[in-house]
Amino acid sequence: MAGPPGADPTDRFPCGCLVTDLERRIRFANAYFEHRFGLERDALSGQNLADLLTSASSVILESYVLPMVMHEGECGEVQMTMISATGERAPVVVNAVLRAEESAIYWSISSAVQRDRLSEELIEARRAVESRAEELQVLSMTDDLTGLMNRREMERRAHVLIKDARRAGRPVSMLMMDIDDFKAINDRYGHAHGDEVLRQVGHCLGEHGRETDLIARFGGEEFVILLPGTSLSDARRYAARIDGLLRAIRVDAVSITFSTGVTGVEDAETAGFEDLFKMADRALYRAKDQGKNRIAVESDAPGTDTA
Amino acid sequence: MSEHAVIRRNHVHVTGAGERTLLLAHGFGCDQNMWRFVLPALAERYRVVTFDYVGSGNSELAAFDPARYGELDGYAADVLEICEALDLRDVAFVGHSVSAMIGLIASLQAPERFAELLMVCPSPDFQERPPEYHGGFHHEDLVELLDLMDKNYIGWANYLAPLVMGGQADEALVGELSGSFCSTDPIVAKTFARATFFSDCRHLLPRAEHPTLILQNRMDPLVPVAVGEYMHAAMPDSTLRVLGAEGHCPHMTHSNLVTAAVHEYLEGMVA
């Protein structure tokens, strides 16, 4: 069974076998290190294992492998990078087990060139999937035509903003805007023209909105702006300003008008997104009902005005 | 946060008895179990508080926020919130490796909580900044480190869950990966690695307000000996002790040396 007299059977193993003390000083190394990495056995004796590894690997060794070996008695399948006698870097997989009674750690160190390639392919594939997932996420929350966020995304984000405002005791307001007689524009000038109107409205809102506001196309010709930290009176002024800007939009010399519902609560404690939405919707309905091309306000406070 | 919420979040443990309180903060990579070799001896003389940073050990992984924990300030906030929850004052803060700097940051923000800083194998900056500072690591070493971490913890679920689930990762799924001694959650581990190895805290050293013990190993693959000397020179009331040990975790491999150094230093403080 044994090899030639005097030969160390560990020299025939197709992996590196090492014994170190707890400070990683090498007590024993088999012949694999010389065959594979050109590291002579005599030179290895007394060397620190960390010196055979890249700096990055020594961080893994000190931060993961050694604490694991000390705490759990063993550590398995950790990939690191060895440096050969000629300075070449070689990926290796390391397993280690503690022999406390000998104050020794036994190590097996195997070549991991193929595993490393596989890892790289996996990481590459993961990156591709991640970036695809990110693209899809952006798509799923964006309104194609205007580039504004869509209804679902606004609802998702609004809850967080309203919760923050509630915590800070700040007001929250909402604008709901609807292009007047949009169907007539579509019918008269065609859908391409209607789309261009929507695009320009979206662009104008995106351009003049504050960073803290949420601006969404809610479908059709309806736009919703959530204004966290903005009082109802400020929201009303803001609505008038936006209305003025939107009025300037011309698509092939055709102008458009808007009906806008404005609402707000002084303390977000009293209302959530759904409540604001219902109130803004009521205000918008009233603006339409009163002849369109106007701003109507609805608040939860007594004495609601309907400008 | 309520007292109980912090204790649960950071898996805070209090043991031992004594007039002085030690707050032990683990370093990058593992969790409070790192202290178990020094804990029995310390608990004989001191009240000892140990914990896991959010993302490590048995902390609540759901509380992990990549933005907060992308900076050492986030970890310092954990320390201060634990101090508040337990109403700690005049603690002797013992921080391993990067936690030494986390403790320094915390001590500057709430000096009344701390009495001394005891730093085990600290480094204010792991990077080479020639010509005046030699932290031991080149930028490309640290890039390789993140790459190696990727290869060792190829986690699909954790990377994709937040994306697929719209930022709200399934807590049960994420939580399942925690609880092992050394963090195997790829996002948490890489976030901590970045905060640890890319931070430069050298400018904080002269501002230290508390007596500081710098415990260094005579040979530490992660911290060149010159770093200890640099810190000692920069910190106003500091003591440098070089232990006859090798490696980066003397509290695991040479627990007697570390406990002796802690006792000696703190006794010297009383005298």
Side-chain angles (χ1 to χ4, degrees):
Chain A
M1 292 296 277
D8 182 340
T10 65
D11 285 345
R12 302 182 177 184
F13 276 95
C15 72
C17 303
L18 274 186
V19 183
T20 71
D21 62 20
L22 299 184
E23 295 183 322
R24 278 78 83 204
R25 293 229 167 259
I26 296 170
R27 288 180 184 166
F28 168 85
N30 69 353
Y32 183 81
F33 291 94
E34 183 162 357
H35 297 157
R36 182 71 181 70
F37 303 113
L39 301 165
E40 283 175 36
R41 193 197 301 246
D42 291 346
L44 282 180
S45 178
Q47 259 209 66
N48 197 306
L49 173 57
D51 296 338
L52 310 184
L53 304 169
T54 61
S55 296
S57 301
S58 67
V59 174
I60 304 271
L61 182 72
E62 298 300 327
S63 306
Y64 284 95
V65 180
L66 252 298
M68 283 284 274
V69 168
M70 293 303 295
H71 179 60
E72 295 185 356
E74 60 183 357
C75 182
E77 288 193 44
V78 177
Q79 184 173 336
M80 297 198 268
T81 312
M82 275 199 58
I83 304 173
S84 75
T86 53
E88 279 164 67
R89 300 153 73 93
V92 291
V93 167
V94 173
N95 289 274
V97 60
L98 176 70
R99 306 295 295 189
E101 68 285 3
E102 300 172 35
S103 291
I105 304 170
Y106 284 69
W107 307 78
S108 76
I109 298 180
S110 318
S111 171
V113 175
Q114 305 212 28
R115 173 184 145 136
D116 186 56
R117 243 177 248 145
L118 178 63
S119 298
E120 275 175 12
E121 278 174 30
L122 283 172
I123 289 166
E124 199 42 55
R126 190 184 66 199
R127 269 190 204 124
V129 174
E130 274 171 33
S131 78
R132 184 72 187 132
E134 264 165 44
E135 279 169 27
L136 287 173
Q137 202 192 357
V138 170
L139 282 178
S140 74
M141 58 193 204
T142 311
D143 171 54
D144 275 354
L145 193 62
T146 61
L148 297 175
M149 68 183 74
N150 59 21
R151 176 174 190 151
R152 183 174 43 185
E153 178 64 9
M154 171 173 259
E155 286 178 355
R156 194 178 74 75
R157 290 210 221 168
H159 290 295
V160 179
L161 289 182
I162 291 172
K163 210 160 75 185
D164 288 348
R166 188 176 298 159
R167 208 175 299 138
R170 284 149 60 82
V172 181
S173 294
M174 183 185 277
L175 266 55
M176 190 180 289
M177 339 187 50
D178 192 272
I179 305 174
D180 292 329
D181 304 313
F182 186 69
K183 187 174 178 308
I185 297 175
N186 268 335
D187 291 346
R188 188 158 166 204
Y189 302 98
H191 284 277
H193 187 97
D195 284 354
E196 184 54 29
V197 169
L198 291 171
R199 242 193 304 273
Q200 291 207 20
V201 171
H203 180 76
C204 180
L205 292 178
E207 191 92 316
H208 296 283
R210 300 173 307 184
E211 258 185 38
T212 47
D213 300 339
L214 298 183
I215 307 170
R217 178 177 170 221
F218 247 52
E221 64 272 25
E222 193 170 274
F223 296 84
V224 174
I225 306 180
L226 184 80
L227 307 145
T230 303
S231 67
L232 181 58
S233 55
D234 286 343
R236 204 197 169 299
R237 270 193 289 279
Y238 182 70
R241 187 168 89 86
I242 290 288
D243 190 63
L245 291 165
L246 292 174
R247 240 168 239 284
I249 290 176
R250 296 279 180 280
V251 178
D252 297 337
V254 180
S255 67
I256 47 173
T257 63
F258 283 83
S259 297
T260 302
V262 185
T263 193
V265 287
E266 276 314 300
D267 179 355
E269 194 70 66
T270 57
F273 179 78
E274 299 306 324
D275 304 301
L276 281 168
F277 185 79
K278 274 183 206 150
M279 285 157 64
D281 193 46
R282 273 202 299 272
L284 173 62
Y285 181 80
R286 207 162 47 237
K288 291 270 184 205
D289 202 39
Q290 288 168 348
K292 304 177 184 167
N293 190 13
R294 68 192 60 221
I295 297 170
V297 179
E298 166 137 343
S299 85
D300 54 349
T304 296
D305 79 82
T306 54
Chain B
M1 290 188 85
S2 79
E3 180 191 326
H4 293 295
V6 172
I7 288 171
R8 204 172 44 237
R9 183 191 68 182
N10 289 98
H11 202 230
V12 177
H13 277 279
V14 182
T15 176
E19 282 179 21
R20 298 295 316 274
T21 298
L22 302 188
L23 176 56
L24 308 186
H26 69 84
F28 160 75
C30 297
D31 68 17
Q32 60 183 300
N33 279 308
M34 286 197 111
W35 299 110
R36 76 177 170 102
F37 297 92
V38 293
L39 208 50
L42 294 177
E44 280 175 20
R45 296 200 203 186
Y46 311 103
R47 180 175 172 236
V48 185
V49 180
T50 58
F51 68 96
D52 296 331
Y53 287 112
V54 168
S56 301
N58 286 304
S59 66
E60 287 184 339
L61 204 46
F64 185 78
D65 169 1
R68 170 170 162 138
Y69 297 103
E71 308 268 347
L72 295 184
D73 286 5
Y75 301 85
D78 275 17
V79 170
L80 291 175
E81 284 161 10
I82 291 163
C83 288
E84 274 164 39
L86 298 181
D87 196 24
L88 300 180
R89 275 177 199 279
D90 299 323
V91 298
F93 179 92
V94 184
H96 174 234
S97 194
V98 66
S99 263
M101 289 305 112
I102 293 168
L104 176 58
I105 293 169
S107 76
L108 293 174
Q109 288 176 12
E112 72 284 0
R113 302 276 180 202
F114 301 86
E116 302 92 3
L117 300 175
L118 289 78
M119 304 184 161
V120 182
C121 299
S123 174
D125 181 2
F126 286 91
Q127 291 202 56
E128 287 287 308
R129 314 275 184 188
E132 80 280 6
Y133 180 79
H134 298 283
F137 290 85
H138 296 278
H139 187 80
E140 57 271 25
D141 296 329
L142 301 176
V143 172
E144 187 197 335
L145 170 64
L146 296 177
D147 181 58
L148 269 181
M149 292 179 71
D150 243 341
K151 287 173 180 169
N152 278 305
Y153 309 109
I154 296 174
W156 285 82
N158 262 14
Y159 267 88
L160 294 174
L163 296 172
V164 173
M165 302 165 110
Q168 277 151 10
D170 183 341
E171 282 172 21
L173 174 78
V174 173
E176 205 173 280
L177 294 164
S178 73
S180 62
F181 171 49
C182 290
S183 173
T184 49
D185 180 285
I187 294 178
V188 170
K190 281 173 74 183
T191 304
F192 202 178
R194 269 193 211 98
T196 299
F197 293 102
F198 288 92
S199 293
D200 180 359
C201 294
R202 288 177 295 154
H203 63 289
L204 299 177
L205 300 176
R207 292 174 46 200
E209 295 177 27
H210 301 90
T212 303
L213 172 65
I214 302 162
L215 271 187
Q216 235 197 343
N217 275 359
R218 73 182 145 84
M219 211 293 289
D220 181 338
L222 305 198
V223 186
V225 175
V227 168
E229 288 154 8
Y230 178 96
M231 291 181 68
H232 179 44
M235 298 185 80
D237 188 5
S238 63
T239 307
L240 176 62
R241 274 283 308 271
V242 178
L243 298 175
E246 296 191 5
H248 188 60
C249 303
H251 51 314
M252 298 193 90
T253 56
H254 298 75
S255 55
N256 293 341
L257 293 181
V258 173
T259 48
V262 169
H263 291 326
E264 195 187 307
Y265 185 72
L266 292 180
E267 263 159 34
M269 285 293 133
V270 178

